[in-house]
């Protein structure tokens, strides 16, 4: 009987996937298919939890089958991340689109990412104080205690790591290892390695033009193949969102979420304010923020659903170049740096909120100007090297809390609402990196405003 019910549940998911396929055949826009998938996934998840209950073994086994479509899609995206980053940046050099202002471009992107993270920290502090949140208000059970111990274990592994050591971690000692994505900073390391290859190409072009021309043709061919792979994978986005959302909703503990509703609300308010800050920055450089919102919503929807900034990178870069008019080189730098530097949601809002909540438990006044200014500075500096995958926010929180001499284990009290908050945090992370790419292009006068202002194109998603 259990196996039969699992088959029925999987069949329900496949039936909804069939609806999305029918919409694709009818040439319904990518954006509409994404939001339809999001809605269908939520409905299916609610229905499954309502029928079986959160502790049901049938539900657990059904969602494992859902992972083939959901997690499988994320893995396919992760598969193309490193090839896309490497070949796109090298190609930008061979096409002579990254030979000038490289230092200015990198500096602007990093400055925007870290600067907006400092703003995000201030917003997180304001949210905690405004909602009067304190860690002592949260009751912890066995699960929370276990999570606290796990966080303390993680802290013991990174304890004593200085800022210079974190910067050194960004460098590619073994580029072949980093091309496998084995380190949290692998993406930035690949960016640096690709830049070295690009500069080497420019040197060879001056001395041995025939060899350089052969290399250019080879890179152009590989680039075309990689971009075709990206397009093929991106076509699966609505199906991936459907499965991921169905599993997320079906396995969410809404009772626990309700108990921590005030923290969830405060988090979403802070993250929404940060997104508005992104739009204000775009407005300040003379761009229409509503155009930006319309064009990035499908990307942010996937980031929200998947909770993976790294998995969203192909969508991120493709949207910047094809919909927002950002040059390929800048889009790759912004998207790649945004995975490990200055994540506004995970490394900005979240650790700042936690620090303010935990400070009173050790006798620190969270309203103290010295505490607030120190916390903002620590959050900004600690945002270097935060991994763009699930768990990055916990790593950021550990760094900030330990630097501020606050107990790291108390971060485990929020484990029951972690997935729900992480969804919005990831979307804000991705928006931050895309904003950095657009603004940098605008400031360096390399943004194609005609592409930015034209109606949304669906071709590269379809």
């Amino acid at each position: 009987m259990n196996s039969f019910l699992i088959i029925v549940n999987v069949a329900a998911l496949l039936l909804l996937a069939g609806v999305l396929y029918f919409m694709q055949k009818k040439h319904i826009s990518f954006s509409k298919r994404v939001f339809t998938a999001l809605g269908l996934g939520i409905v299916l998840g609610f229905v499954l939890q309502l029928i079986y209950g959160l502790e049901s073994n049938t539900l657990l086994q059904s969602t494992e089958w859902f992972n083939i479509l959901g997690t499988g899609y994320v893995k396919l995206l992760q598969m193309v991340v490193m090839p896309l980053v490497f070949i796109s940046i090298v190609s930008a050099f061979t096409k002579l689109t990254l030979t000038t202002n490289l230092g200015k471009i990198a500096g602007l992107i990093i400055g925007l990412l870290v600067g907006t993270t400092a703003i995000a920290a201030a917003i997180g502090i304001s949210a905690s104080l405004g909602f009067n949140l304190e860690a002592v208000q949260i009751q912890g059970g066995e699960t929370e205690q276990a999570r606290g111990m796990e966080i303390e274990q993680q802290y013991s592994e990174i304890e004593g790591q200085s800022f210079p050591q974190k910067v050194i971690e960004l460098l590619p000692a073994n580029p072949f290892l980093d091309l496998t994505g084995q380190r949290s900073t692998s993406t930035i390391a690949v960016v640096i390695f690709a830049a070295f290859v690009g500069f080497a190409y420019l040197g060879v072009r001056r001395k041995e033009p025939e060899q350089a021309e052969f290399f250019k043709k080879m890179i152009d061919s590989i680039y075309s193949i990689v971009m075709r792979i990206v397009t093929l994978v991106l076509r699966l986005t609505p199906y991936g969102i459907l499965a991921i959302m169905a599993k997320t909703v079906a396995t969410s503990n809404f009772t626990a979420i309700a108990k921590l509703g005030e923290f969830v609300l405060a988090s979403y308010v802070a993250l929404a304010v940060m997104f508005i800050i992104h739009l204000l920055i775009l407005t300040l450089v003379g761009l229409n923020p509503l155009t930006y919102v319309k064009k990035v919503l499908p990307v942010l929807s996937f980031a929200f659903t998947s909770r993976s900034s790294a998995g969203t990178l192909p969508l991120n870069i493709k949207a910047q170049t094809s919909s927002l008019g950002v040059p390929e080189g800048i889009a790759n730098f912004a998207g790649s740096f945004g995975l490990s530097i200055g994540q506004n949601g995970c490394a900005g809002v979240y650790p700042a909120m936690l620090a303010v909540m935990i400070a009173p438990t050790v006798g620190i006044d969270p309203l103290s100007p010295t505490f607030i200014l120190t916390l903002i500075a620590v959050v900004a500096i600690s945002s270097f090297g935060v991994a763009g995958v699930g768990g990055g926010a916990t790593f950021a929180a550990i760094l900030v809390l330990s630097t501020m001499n606050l107990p790291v284990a108390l971060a485990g009290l929020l484990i029951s609402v972690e997935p729900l908050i992480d969804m919005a945090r990831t979307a804000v992370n991705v928006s931050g990196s895309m904003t950095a790419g657009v603004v940098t292009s605008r400031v360096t006068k390399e943004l194609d405003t005609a592409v930015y202002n034209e109606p949304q194109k669906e071709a590269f998603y379809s």
Side-chain angles (χ1 to χ4, degrees), residues 60-405:
L60 178 62
Q61 293 184 46
S62 297
T63 54
E64 287 182 359
W65 283 96
F66 290 6
N67 282 340
I68 295 177
L69 188 58
T71 306
Y73 172 66
V74 174
K75 285 185 176 293
L76 289 176
L77 280 171
Q78 293 170 336
M79 171 189 73
V80 300
V81 166
M82 293 305 177
L84 173 62
V85 170
F86 177 77
I87 203 67
S88 295
I89 290 178
V90 175
S91 177
F93 277 91
T94 61
K95 294 175 182 175
L96 302 180
T97 59
L98 257 186
T99 55
T100 58
N101 296 327
L102 183 59
K104 182 179 180 181
I105 288 170
L108 273 171
I109 290 172
I110 294 173
L112 283 165
L113 290 170
V114 176
T116 51
T117 300
I119 295 172
I123 292 171
I125 292 169
S126 301
S128 284
L129 294 175
F131 281 83
N132 197 29
L133 300 177
E134 292 186 13
V136 293
Q137 299 169 341
I138 304 173
Q139 301 296 320
E142 292 183 6
T143 304
E144 286 74 17
Q145 291 175 4
R147 177 60 172 163
M149 293 176 65
E150 181 183 333
I151 290 174
E152 286 186 327
Q153 175 63 31
Q154 287 181 269
Y155 169 61
S156 67
E157 294 173 3
I158 63 170
E159 188 176 7
Q161 188 180 51
S162 65
F163 180 73
Q165 289 174 322
K166 290 170 63 179
V167 173
I168 291 172
E169 282 293 308
L170 302 178
L171 300 177
N174 184 347
F176 299 101
L177 173 66
D178 287 317
L179 283 167
T180 66
Q182 291 301 302
R183 300 191 303 140
S184 63
T185 56
S186 283
T187 309
I188 291 183
V190 169
V191 170
I192 295 171
F193 177 60
F196 269 96
V197 173
F199 279 118
Y201 160 79
L202 295 177
V204 172
R205 191 169 66 105
R206 286 193 300 270
K207 297 180 179 180
E208 302 177 72
E210 291 183 3
Q211 298 293 339
E213 184 61 25
F214 174 76
F215 179 79
K216 180 182 184 301
K217 290 180 179 179
M218 182 177 67
I219 291 298
D220 288 346
S221 297
I222 297 174
Y223 178 79
S224 297
I225 295 296
V226 169
M227 293 311 297
R228 184 57 184 168
I229 294 172
V230 170
T231 301
L232 291 173
V233 173
L234 294 187
R235 287 178 177 175
L236 302 173
T237 300
Y239 308 103
I241 287 179
L242 169 67
I244 294 170
M245 205 67 213
K247 179 192 173 182
T248 300
V249 174
T251 57
S252 293
N253 188 335
F254 293 104
T255 302
I257 291 172
K259 291 179 180 178
L260 293 171
E262 193 171 17
F263 178 78
V264 173
L265 177 61
S267 297
Y268 269 76
V269 167
L271 292 166
V273 171
M274 193 61 228
F275 182 66
I276 292 172
I277 295 294
H278 294 163
L279 302 184
L280 289 176
I281 293 172
L282 292 170
T283 304
L284 289 174
V285 296
L287 297 172
N288 187 333
L290 294 180
T291 300
Y292 171 83
V293 172
K294 291 176 183 177
K295 293 190 172 185
V296 304
L297 268 180
V299 182
L300 300 186
S301 297
F302 177 72
F304 182 87
T305 307
S306 68
R307 297 168 52 204
S308 173
S309 299
T312 310
L313 185 61
L315 274 167
N316 179 336
I317 293 173
K318 195 69 172 170
Q320 285 192 62
T321 55
S322 297
S323 296
L324 299 174
V326 179
E328 292 170 356
I330 293 178
N332 275 277
F333 268 105
S336 303
F337 281 146
L339 293 185
S340 297
I341 297 175
Q343 293 190 354
N344 294 175
C346 290
V349 170
Y350 183 67
M353 289 185 69
L354 282 182
V356 172
M357 291 172 61
I358 293 172
T361 65
V362 292
I364 296 176
D365 180 10
L367 292 172
S368 165
T370 302
F371 173 81
I372 291 174
L373 292 175
T374 302
L375 177 58
I376 292 174
V378 167
V379 167
I381 294 172
S382 297
S383 69
F384 281 79
V386 176
V389 295
T394 300
F395 183 76
I398 291 172
L399 291 175
V400 171
L401 295 177
S402 61
T403 304
M404 298 294 292
N405 295 316

